[in-house]
Amino acid sequence: MISADRVPAECRGKLIRVFSDSGSFKSEIMPPLSAAEKQKKAQEVESQQQQKMVAEEFLREERFLTAHFRSESDITQAQKKALELVEAKKKMVLEQLDLLANIVYELRIEISNAKQLDKNSKSFQQLYQSRLDELTRSIKKSQDQLATYETEIDRINREYDQTLQRYRVVVVSRRR
């Protein structure tokens, strides 16, 4: 038995038992951790923190889903509601594209008739061509909007499908 205020050199890196003045066992002082042990312990702590964060996120998500949706049909109704607005906009763009296509068709007929009637009038041909170019730009813009709405519909469907799957997981975990 060694008694000292400091750890003797031959005891460094080893388990040290501390005894009281009466000689009874008081506590143990663990040896300092090696670099590998420190790294392993840090990884374990980080892993535990990540597991805790995942569990907290799952509880937050569970509270959110159960607060907003009482059943799977509520999620389906919310999805339909979200899609209605985008599909209405998409329908308007499709109608606009049909209208523009008809106007372009009629304008091309006018241009061909004007060329046949008056070949000397370059100003009319330029006017018709500028109107045709403007309509073509409008068609391109409407097609871009249509593509945007298609993308939005796909995103909404994916989002609500994921929500429905998470809701099912929450319901199953609550039953356990």
Side-chain angles (χ1 to χ4, degrees):
M1 183 166 172
I2 299 174
S3 174
D5 289 339
R6 294 185 206 154
V7 177
E10 57 272 351
C11 295
R12 287 195 183 124
K14 297 180 181 176
L15 176 68
I16 301 172
R17 292 191 180 118
V18 179
F19 295 93
S20 67
D21 291 337
S22 64
S24 63
F25 177 75
K26 192 173 178 182
S27 66
E28 288 183 343
I29 300 175
M30 299 301 287
L33 299 175
S34 67
E37 291 173 331
K38 287 179 184 178
Q39 185 180 12
K40 184 178 178 184
K41 183 150 179 107
Q43 287 174 345
E44 288 174 1
V45 167
E46 185 177 327
S47 173
Q48 288 173 351
Q49 287 175 342
Q50 287 178 348
Q51 289 174 354
K52 184 179 177 183
M53 287 175 48
V54 166
E56 288 173 356
E57 179 63 28
F58 183 78
L59 287 174
R60 271 195 302 273
E61 186 175 355
E62 181 179 316
R63 285 192 297 269
F64 173 81
L65 288 173
T66 55
H68 287 80
F69 305 110
R70 287 175 287 172
S71 67
E72 290 183 16
S73 65
D74 288 351
I75 296 172
T76 306
Q77 287 175 349
Q79 180 181 12
K80 286 179 183 176
K81 225 179 205 184
L83 286 173
E84 282 177 1
L85 179 64
V86 178
E87 287 176 345
K89 289 179 180 179
K90 179 182 168 184
K91 183 179 177 184
M92 283 186 1
V93 169
L94 286 172
E95 290 171 356
Q96 184 180 17
L97 278 172
D98 287 342
L99 180 65
L100 287 172
N102 288 337
I103 293 172
V104 167
Y105 176 74
E106 291 171 2
L107 185 60
R108 287 182 191 215
I109 291 173
E110 279 184 51
I111 290 173
S112 66
N113 290 339
K115 284 181 181 178
Q116 291 173 359
L117 294 176
D118 189 40
K119 295 185 179 190
N120 296 332
S121 178
K122 295 277 184 191
S123 63
F124 282 118
Q125 289 177 1
Q126 289 174 347
L127 177 66
Y128 282 136
Q129 190 60 45
S130 66
R131 281 186 60 203
L132 186 62
D133 292 342
E134 185 179 316
L135 288 171
T136 305
R137 283 191 298 274
S138 293
I139 288 173
K140 175 68 176 139
K141 186 176 178 181
S142 294
Q143 288 171 337
D144 291 344
Q145 285 178 331
L146 190 61
T148 302
Y149 292 142
E150 288 290 336
T151 304
E152 182 68 11
I153 288 171
D154 289 342
R155 185 196 64 78
I156 289 170
N157 284 328
R158 260 192 331 274
E159 181 181 308
Y160 277 96
D161 289 344
Q162 290 171 353
T163 301
L164 188 59
Q165 289 174 352
R166 290 192 315 256
Y167 182 81
R168 288 176 179 155
V169 168
V170 166
V171 168
V172 168
S173 69
R174 280 194 159 193
R175 288 181 184 164
R176 291 180 185 172

